Amino acid sequence: FDHKDTEPSRPKRVMIIGGDGYCGWATALHLSKQNYEVAIVDSLVRRLFDHQLGLESLTPISSIHNRVRRWKSLTDKTIELFVGDICDFEFLSETFKSFEPDSVVHFGEQRSAPYSMIDRSRAVFTQNNNVIGTLNVLFAIKEYREDCHLVKLGTMGEYGTPNIDIEEGYITINHNGRTDTLPYPKQGSSFYHLSKVHDSNNIAFTCKAWGIRATDLNQGVVYGVTTDETEMHEELCNRFDYDGVFGTALNRFCVQAAVGHPLTVYGKGGQTRGYLDIRDTVQCVELAIANPAQPGEFRVFNQFTEQFSVNELASLVTKVGKKLGLDVKTTSVPNPRVEAEEHYYNAKHTKLVELGLKPHLLSDSLLDSVLNNAIRFKDRVDTKQIMPSVSWKKIGVKPKTVSA
Ligand code: NAD
Ligand code: USQ
């Protein structure tokens, strides 16, 4: 038998870019717990955005240094930390040479659609940060770790809301008597969502040209705050955004219900998206790493578990709020975005389930726990940050300070 089988296999080494953020922090702890060797690479720019816009996470969060120290003291597991910007190729090269990752999970982007629509400079920052960062990761893999599997966070928003079923990455088209399987058409609806489309194109090309192995996780909107690991200590607590720039639909509605603010349904509220629990984000990433793409393969998974319209989310939160004694009202806010408010939506999401994903579906009890978490920290809520302040149509070149 193969000699290699007798050697003890070394633990797989996973570099988590964006590991200080909402999805990345939960994932770093989860993978470390599963005995992967984990390194976090993060520029901490997300914390800077909070300062610049006068925002704060609902939950109090510790510095990244205290977070990893606390993890070590609780579990005796080390998470290596590299603080720097992946747009700086020299920094990124050093992290690759020093850590030698087997997989890179790339969460490290500017991820808010409203942020990318504040003004010209934020639009340019978003596309520069995201597209160049990802290009640098691709070059680093090619140069230093060509067998390393790239697991890249994309978004369901790359597809937009077409009037046909959404497939997982590719669609087979019959045209004038000929047939081909092609990348599914992309229609991003913000400069942020478009940055992900550009990333996907660059990754697909380098898989073909250089034989890179990559998985694009087209993730839906994430909700929830705790995972088994973040619950272990208050210093491991995850961030939870509720403001009009970084807060996402369901998480925002829970905070709004907790403080007695009417739920902010934009426009007609028929906007339908895929959603998933943060505990499923960490599970999906683990499944992608454990079952890597082949060299040269550009694999696309749609990463969400259920789809809801904004109106459906509002009525779920109203119902569960009532059970907890909250009087939840809804208000229709003129839509600050340009998007379809009533549309067909049916997106496939079977590939991660085939790999073994066991979804945590949005049940009353789960909503209870997200709502209770919002109630627990409601004194920290700055209600001035709740209404949306960024308009898709009014974006201009003049630098804009978003403030109350
Ligand atoms: P987040 O803003 O909480 O975390 C992103 C982290 O990346 C931050 O800690 C930030 O400092 C870091 N970062 C950004 N640019 C960097 C750079 N150039 N170099 C190094 N670090 C950098 O975001 P999140 O909610 O955890 O999202 C993570 C990823 O998942 C993003 O790519 C996002 O597009 C994707 N995603 C998120 C959601 C969601 O609902 N939160 C849904 C779908 C997809
Ligand atoms: N919406 C409301 N009221 C609110 C907030 C949002 O009606 O108070 C609506 C929006 O108009 C939109 C939908 O809810 O139609 C989703 O908005 P969102 O802010 O929850 O999500 P989005 O801007 O799409 O971005 C988030 C993450 C992003 C990720 C994306 C996944 O910030 O990183 O890529 O979800 S997806 O939506 O599938 O593209």
Side-chain angles (χ1 to χ4, degrees):
F1 61 95
D2 187 347
H3 170 69
K4 269 195 257 160
D5 288 349
T6 60
E7 287 174 10
S9 65
R10 70 169 192 161
K12 283 256 181 327
R13 304 175 68 77
V14 184
M15 174 185 286
I16 302 197
I17 304 174
D20 185 46
Y22 174 55
C23 301
W25 175 238
T27 304
L29 293 186
H30 180 73
L31 295 177
S32 174
K33 183 76 178 297
Q34 304 298 314
N35 294 322
Y36 286 92
E37 287 292 333
V38 173
I40 286 177
V41 176
D42 201 301
S43 62
L44 311 184
V45 71
R46 179 68 186 79
R47 294 178 186 248
L48 181 66
F49 300 150
D50 280 357
H51 288 311
Q52 290 179 337
L53 301 180
L55 311 172
E56 218 179 336
S57 160
L58 171 75
T59 46
I61 51 173
S62 300
S63 71
I64 186 65
H65 310 85
N66 285 339
R67 282 174 155 188
V68 299
R69 256 185 240 128
R70 176 59 62 189
W71 180 246
K72 170 84 180 169
S73 76
L74 289 172
T75 62
D76 203 34
K77 290 177 189 299
T78 301
I79 294 180
E80 281 188 54
L81 177 62
F82 299 90
V83 175
D85 184 341
I86 61 164
C87 292
D88 169 359
F89 190 70
E90 214 178 308
F91 161 76
L92 185 65
S93 308
E94 290 310 314
T95 66
F96 261 74
K97 285 189 268 186
S98 133
F99 184 70
E100 304 188 326
D102 301 308
S103 325
V104 172
V105 187
H106 180 15
F107 293 101
E109 298 200 330
Q110 190 303 95
R111 70 110 175 119
S112 155
Y115 186 95
S116 74
M117 301 301 290
I118 293 176
D119 56 20
R120 188 205 65 90
S121 77
R122 264 60 170 248
V124 170
F125 171 84
T126 300
Q127 293 210 350
N128 190 77
N129 185 63
N130 296 1
V131 177
I132 309 299
T134 297
L135 261 181
N136 279 349
V137 172
L138 292 166
F139 272 97
I141 291 174
K142 177 178 197 293
E143 195 71 16
Y144 307 114
R145 299 288 294 171
E146 60 178 6
D147 204 37
C148 176
H149 177 208
L150 171 62
V151 177
K152 163 68 169 50
L153 272 289
T155 176
M156 285 300 293
E158 291 183 42
Y159 303 118
T161 55
N163 199 31
I164 55 172
D165 293 346
I166 294 173
E167 304 297 319
E168 294 196 70
Y170 299 91
I171 183 168
T172 301
I173 295 178
N174 223 311
H175 182 64
N176 294 346
R178 302 182 65 83
T179 299
D180 202 354
T181 297
L182 300 167
Y184 196 94
K186 306 289 166 68
Q187 306 185 73
S189 61
S190 71
F191 289 120
Y192 154 71
H193 286 100
L194 285 162
S195 73
K196 297 284 194 187
V197 175
H198 308 328
D199 284 342
S200 293
N201 285 332
N202 286 340
I203 300 168
F205 167 69
T206 58
C207 287
K208 255 190 219 154
W210 304 339
I212 301 265
R213 46 169 92 212
T215 303
D216 207 354
L217 297 175
N218 281 344
Q219 187 169 238
V221 187
V222 183
Y223 59 80
V225 63
T226 55
T227 56
D228 289 348
E229 294 80 23
T230 64
E231 259 185 331
M232 287 167 64
H233 193 278
E234 62 181 21
E235 272 189 313
L236 302 180
C237 185
N238 206 345
R239 65 176 309 118
F240 190 95
D241 302 306
Y242 65 90
D243 61 87
V245 176
F246 280 94
T248 49
L250 184 54
N251 285 351
R252 268 165 69 67
F253 287 179
C254 289
V255 170
Q256 293 167 358
V259 298
H261 190 292
L263 308 185
T264 53
V265 169
Y266 297 167
K268 295 193 180 121
Q271 301 94 308
T272 304
R273 303 286 184 269
Y275 287 80
L276 75 162
D277 188 308
I278 189 158
R279 291 173 296 176
D280 291 338
T281 296
V282 307
Q283 226 193 116
C284 290
V285 171
E286 186 184 358
L287 286 168
I289 294 174
N291 303 280
Q294 297 303 311
E297 184 187 7
F298 177 61
R299 203 170 56 164
V300 182
F301 296 160
N302 290 349
Q303 180 166 315
F304 71 96
T305 59
E306 292 173 279
Q307 46 180 70
F308 299 103
S309 70
V310 176
N311 285 329
E312 284 168 334
L313 292 180
S315 50
L316 280 168
V317 172
T318 305
K319 185 179 97 190
V320 175
K322 203 170 266 158
K323 251 184 34 199
L324 299 180
L326 300 169
D327 177 22
V328 185
K329 301 252 178 330
T330 291
T331 177
S332 173
V333 176
N335 199 336
R337 308 185 181 199
V338 177
E339 61 185 356
E341 294 174 2
E342 287 172 318
H343 58 89
Y344 177 79
Y345 200 76
N346 183 34
K348 302 279 167 65
H349 55 111
T350 52
K351 291 192 185 170
L352 282 157
V353 175
E354 281 159 18
L355 285 182
L357 172 67
K358 300 269 178 305
H360 295 82
L361 299 182
L362 186 62
S363 61
D364 289 6
S365 65
L366 172 74
L367 252 188
D368 260 24
S369 81
V370 185
L371 257 170
N372 275 320
N373 190 66
I375 294 168
R376 178 171 166 216
F377 292 109
K378 76 186 185 40
D379 292 345
R380 288 175 49 89
V381 174
D382 176 357
T383 51
K384 296 190 295 303
Q385 303 297 348
I386 290 180
M387 290 303 280
S389 53
V390 179
S391 155
W392 264 226
K393 287 195 171 145
K394 291 192 191 133
I395 183 171
V397 298
K398 190 163 175 267
K400 196 171 163 213
T401 302
V402 179
S403 62

Coordinates of all heavy atoms in Angstrom, one line a residue, residues 86-119:
I86 N -5.1 42.8 2.4 CA -4.7 41.9 1.3 C -4.5 42.6 0.0 O -4.0 42.0 -1.0 CB -5.8 40.7 1.1 CG1 -7.2 41.2 0.8 CG2 -5.8 39.8 2.4 CD1 -8.1 40.1 0.2
C87 N -4.9 43.9 -0.1 CA -4.6 44.6 -1.3 C -3.1 45.0 -1.4 O -2.6 45.4 -2.4 CB -5.4 45.9 -1.4 SG -7.2 45.5 -1.6
D88 N -2.4 44.8 -0.2 CA -1.0 45.0 -0.1 C -0.4 43.6 -0.4 O -0.3 42.7 0.4 CB -0.7 45.5 1.3 CG 0.8 45.5 1.6 OD1 1.6 45.1 0.7 OD2 1.2 45.9 2.7
F89 N 0.1 43.4 -1.7 CA 0.6 42.1 -2.1 C 1.8 41.6 -1.3 O 1.9 40.4 -1.0 CB 0.9 42.0 -3.6 CG 1.1 40.6 -4.0 CD1 0.0 39.7 -4.1 CD2 2.3 40.1 -4.4 CE1 0.2 38.4 -4.4 CE2 2.5 38.8 -4.7 CZ 1.4 37.9 -4.8
E90 N 2.6 42.5 -0.9 CA 3.8 42.1 -0.1 C 3.3 41.4 1.2 O 3.8 40.4 1.6 CB 4.7 43.3 0.2 CG 6.1 43.0 0.2 CD 6.9 44.2 0.4 OE1 6.7 45.2 -0.3 OE2 7.7 44.2 1.4
F91 N 2.4 42.1 1.9 CA 1.9 41.6 3.1 C 1.2 40.2 2.9 O 1.5 39.2 3.6 CB 0.8 42.6 3.7 CG -0.1 41.9 4.7 CD1 0.3 41.7 6.0 CD2 -1.4 41.6 4.4 CE1 -0.5 41.1 6.9 CE2 -2.3 41.0 5.3 CZ -1.8 40.7 6.6
L92 N 0.4 40.1 1.9 CA -0.3 38.9 1.6 C 0.7 37.7 1.3 O 0.5 36.6 1.8 CB -1.3 39.0 0.4 CG -2.2 37.8 0.1 CD1 -3.1 37.5 1.3 CD2 -3.0 38.0 -1.1
S93 N 1.7 38.0 0.5 CA 2.7 37.0 0.2 C 3.4 36.5 1.5 O 3.6 35.3 1.6 CB 3.9 37.6 -0.7 OG 3.4 38.3 -1.7
E94 N 3.7 37.4 2.4 CA 4.4 37.0 3.6 C 3.5 36.0 4.4 O 3.9 35.0 5.0 CB 4.8 38.2 4.5 CG 6.0 39.0 3.9 CD 7.1 38.1 3.5 OE1 7.5 37.2 4.3 OE2 7.7 38.3 2.4
T95 N 2.2 36.4 4.4 CA 1.2 35.5 5.2 C 1.2 34.1 4.5 O 1.1 33.1 5.2 CB -0.2 36.1 5.3 OG1 -0.8 36.1 4.0 CG2 -0.2 37.5 5.9
F96 N 1.2 34.1 3.2 CA 1.1 32.8 2.5 C 2.4 32.0 2.8 O 2.4 30.8 3.1 CB 1.0 33.0 1.0 CG -0.4 32.8 0.5 CD1 -1.4 33.8 0.8 CD2 -0.9 31.7 -0.2 CE1 -2.7 33.7 0.4 CE2 -2.2 31.5 -0.6 CZ -3.1 32.5 -0.3
K97 N 3.6 32.7 2.7 CA 4.8 31.9 2.9 C 5.0 31.5 4.3 O 5.5 30.4 4.6 CB 6.0 32.8 2.5 CG 6.1 33.0 1.0 CD 7.4 33.7 0.5 CE 7.2 35.1 0.4 NZ 8.2 35.9 -0.1
S98 N 4.5 32.3 5.3 CA 4.6 31.9 6.7 C 3.6 30.8 7.1 O 3.9 29.9 7.8 CB 4.6 33.1 7.5 OG 3.8 33.0 8.6
F99 N 2.4 31.0 6.6 CA 1.3 30.0 7.2 C 1.2 28.8 6.3 O 0.7 27.7 6.8 CB 0.0 30.8 7.3 CG -1.1 30.0 7.9 CD1 -1.1 29.6 9.2 CD2 -2.2 29.5 7.1 CE1 -2.1 28.8 9.8 CE2 -3.2 28.7 7.7 CZ -3.1 28.3 9.0
E100 N 1.5 28.9 5.0 CA 1.3 27.7 4.1 C -0.1 27.1 4.1 O -0.2 25.9 4.5 CB 2.4 26.7 4.3 CG 3.8 27.3 4.3 CD 4.9 26.2 4.4 OE1 4.6 25.2 5.1 OE2 5.9 26.3 3.7
P101 N -1.1 27.9 3.7 CA -2.5 27.3 3.8 C -2.8 26.2 2.8 O -2.3 26.2 1.7 CB -3.3 28.5 3.5 CG -2.5 29.4 2.6 CD -1.1 29.2 3.1
D102 N -3.6 25.2 3.3 CA -4.2 24.3 2.3 C -5.5 24.8 1.7 O -5.8 24.4 0.6 CB -4.5 22.9 3.1 CG -3.2 22.4 3.7 OD1 -2.2 22.2 3.0 OD2 -3.2 22.1 4.9
S103 N -6.2 25.6 2.5 CA -7.4 26.3 2.0 C -7.4 27.7 2.4 O -6.9 28.0 3.5 CB -8.7 25.7 2.5 OG -8.6 24.3 2.7
V104 N -7.9 28.6 1.6 CA -8.1 30.0 1.9 C -9.6 30.2 1.9 O -10.2 30.0 0.8 CB -7.4 30.9 1.0 CG1 -7.8 32.4 1.2 CG2 -5.9 30.8 1.1
V105 N -10.1 30.7 3.0 CA -11.6 31.1 2.9 C -11.6 32.6 2.9 O -11.1 33.3 3.8 CB -12.3 30.6 4.2 CG1 -13.8 30.9 4.0 CG2 -12.1 29.1 4.4
H106 N -12.1 33.2 1.8 CA -12.0 34.6 1.6 C -13.3 35.3 1.9 O -14.2 35.4 1.1 CB -11.5 34.8 0.2 CG -11.3 36.3 -0.1 ND1 -11.3 37.3 0.8 CD2 -11.2 36.9 -1.3 CE1 -11.1 38.5 0.2 NE2 -11.1 38.2 -1.1
F107 N -13.4 35.9 3.1 CA -14.6 36.7 3.5 C -14.2 38.2 3.5 O -15.0 39.0 3.8 CB -14.9 36.5 5.0 CG -15.5 35.1 5.4 CD1 -14.6 34.2 6.0 CD2 -16.8 34.8 5.2 CE1 -15.1 32.9 6.4 CE2 -17.3 33.6 5.6 CZ -16.5 32.6 6.2
G108 N -12.9 38.5 3.2 CA -12.4 39.8 3.5 C -12.7 40.9 2.5 O -11.8 41.4 1.8
E109 N -14.0 41.3 2.4 CA -14.4 42.3 1.4 C -15.3 43.4 2.1 O -15.8 43.2 3.2 CB -15.1 41.7 0.3 CG -14.2 40.7 -0.5 CD -14.6 40.4 -1.9 OE1 -15.8 40.4 -2.2 OE2 -13.7 40.1 -2.7
Q110 N -15.5 44.5 1.4 CA -16.4 45.5 1.9 C -17.8 44.9 1.4 O -18.0 44.8 0.3 CB -16.2 46.8 1.2 CG -16.9 48.0 1.8 CD -18.5 47.8 1.7 OE1 -19.1 47.4 2.7 NE2 -19.0 48.1 0.6
R111 N -18.7 44.6 2.4 CA -19.8 43.7 2.0 C -21.2 44.4 2.1 O -22.2 43.8 2.0 CB -19.8 42.5 2.9 CG -20.2 42.8 4.3 CD -21.6 42.2 4.7 NE -21.9 42.3 6.1 CZ -22.9 43.1 6.5 NH1 -23.7 43.7 5.7 NH2 -23.1 43.1 7.8
S112 N -21.2 45.7 2.3 CA -22.5 46.4 2.4 C -22.9 47.1 1.0 O -22.1 47.9 0.5 CB -22.5 47.4 3.5 OG -23.4 48.4 3.2
A113 N -24.1 46.7 0.5 CA -24.6 47.4 -0.7 C -24.8 48.9 -0.4 O -24.3 49.7 -1.2 CB -25.8 46.7 -1.2
P114 N -25.5 49.3 0.7 CA -25.6 50.7 0.9 C -24.3 51.4 1.0 O -24.1 52.5 0.5 CB -26.4 50.8 2.2 CG -27.2 49.5 2.3 CD -26.3 48.5 1.6
Y115 N -23.3 50.8 1.7 CA -22.0 51.5 1.8 C -21.4 51.8 0.5 O -20.9 52.9 0.2 CB -21.0 50.6 2.6 CG -19.7 51.3 2.9 CD1 -19.4 52.0 4.1 CD2 -18.6 51.3 2.0 CE1 -18.2 52.6 4.4 CE2 -17.4 52.0 2.2 CZ -17.2 52.6 3.4 OH -16.0 53.3 3.7
S116 N -21.5 50.9 -0.5 CA -21.0 51.1 -1.8 C -21.7 52.1 -2.6 O -21.3 52.5 -3.7 CB -21.0 49.7 -2.6 OG -22.3 49.4 -3.0
M117 N -22.9 52.5 -2.1 CA -23.7 53.5 -2.8 C -23.8 54.9 -2.1 O -24.6 55.7 -2.4 CB -25.2 53.0 -3.0 CG -25.3 51.6 -3.7 SD -24.6 51.7 -5.4 CE -25.9 52.7 -6.2
I118 N -22.9 55.1 -1.1 CA -22.9 56.4 -0.4 C -22.4 57.5 -1.3 O -23.1 58.5 -1.4 CB -22.0 56.3 0.9 CG1 -22.5 55.3 1.9 CG2 -21.8 57.7 1.5 CD1 -21.6 55.1 3.2
D119 N -21.3 57.3 -1.9 CA -20.7 58.3 -2.8 C -19.7 57.7 -3.7 O -19.4 56.5 -3.6 CB -20.1 59.5 -2.0 CG -19.0 59.0 -1.0 OD1 -18.5 57.9 -1.2 OD2 -18.7 59.8 0.0

